[in-house]
Amino acid sequence: MPQNFQKSFNLYLHDKYPATKERGLFIRDNLISPVTLKISRETLAQAQSVATACFELRNLLKYQEHVAAQSGELARFDPKNFSLFMSYDFHQTENGLKLIEINTNAAFSLVAWELYNYRNVDPGESFHEQFK
């Protein structure tokens, strides 16, 4: 089943974005899953709380000064804007969510968007709407 899902998803992408087919581009099998994971409202609220806390921490002057004092020149660079895409990578554990990493790039956002489309989930629908 997973290989059929991944093959079918790549065909969907090739149909929607013909240049990907022309260039022989495809999403490798180990980068997407045929499984849709549904989480509880409580888990979603916990993840949102952590993301909000991280965002608020980033904006505290005292925290910025601490990071600047501990970091090299590149880490002290402030682009004076916020990241367009923030991705919080959580793992579900027996004790709840565990934050693994925070990403500040959009590397896989188009694929995630198209996975929503492919699975007929409205990507414009908020997470809150999906979990009602």
Side-chain angles (χ1 to χ4, degrees), residues 2 12 21 24 27 44 46 51 57-58 76 80 86 96 98 101 104 106-107 110 113-115 121 127:
Y12 163 83
K21 183 176 183 178
I27 304 299
L44 176 61
Q46 184 182 9
L57 177 64
R58 181 251 187 246
R76 287 191 294 266
K80 306 285 186 217
M86 295 293 289
K98 180 178 180 182
E101 67 178 330
T104 58
L110 178 61
W113 180 269
E114 290 303 344
L115 276 168
V121 174
F127 283 115

Side-chain angles (χ1 to χ4, degrees), residues 26 37 50 57 64-65 72-73 77 92 107 118-119 122:
F26 61 94
L37 177 65
V50 170
L57 177 64
Q64 292 172 6
E65 291 169 348
E73 185 177 336
F77 173 73
Q92 182 69 47
Y118 179 72
R119 291 182 175 279
D122 180 1

Side-chain angles (χ1 to χ4, degrees), residues 19-37:
T20 60
K21 183 176 183 178
E22 293 164 10
R23 295 180 179 153
L25 301 174
F26 61 94
I27 304 299
R28 294 178 187 255
D29 293 350
N30 64 336
L31 295 179
I32 58 174
S33 172
V35 177
T36 299
L37 177 65

Side-chain angles (χ1 to χ4, degrees), residues 4-5 11 23 27 36-37 48-50 61-62 66 74 87 96 104 114 127:
N4 290 336
F5 168 79
L11 291 173
R23 295 180 179 153
I27 304 299
T36 299
L37 177 65
Q48 288 174 323
S49 177
V50 170
L61 183 58
K62 194 164 191 124
H66 174 75
L74 182 59
S87 173
T104 58
E114 290 303 344
F127 283 115

Side-chain angles (χ1 to χ4, degrees), residues 2-110:
Q3 288 181 338
N4 290 336
F5 168 79
Q6 289 144 340
K7 181 178 181 181
S8 178
F9 180 65
N10 275 297
L11 291 173
Y12 163 83
L13 290 177
H14 288 165
D15 185 51
K16 190 163 184 179
Y17 303 97
T20 60
K21 183 176 183 178
E22 293 164 10
R23 295 180 179 153
L25 301 174
F26 61 94
I27 304 299
R28 294 178 187 255
D29 293 350
N30 64 336
L31 295 179
I32 58 174
S33 172
V35 177
T36 299
L37 177 65
K38 299 212 176 201
I39 60 174
S40 69
R41 289 183 187 157
E42 293 78 18
T43 300
L44 176 61
Q46 184 182 9
Q48 288 174 323
S49 177
V50 170
T52 298
C54 290
F55 184 79
E56 290 173 356
L57 177 64
R58 181 251 187 246
N59 292 317
L60 292 176
L61 183 58
K62 194 164 191 124
Y63 174 77
Q64 292 172 6
E65 291 169 348
H66 174 75
V67 169
Q70 304 295 318
S71 305
E73 185 177 336
L74 182 59
R76 287 191 294 266
F77 173 73
D78 184 357
K80 306 285 186 217
N81 64 6
F82 298 112
S83 175
L84 180 60
F85 289 91
M86 295 293 289
S87 173
Y88 297 84
D89 184 1
F90 292 97
H91 287 192
Q92 182 69 47
T93 71
E94 292 178 4
N95 299 322
L97 291 180
K98 180 178 180 182
L99 180 62
I100 302 302
E101 67 178 330
I102 300 173
N103 295 303
T104 58
N105 61 56
F108 219 65
S109 63
L110 178 61

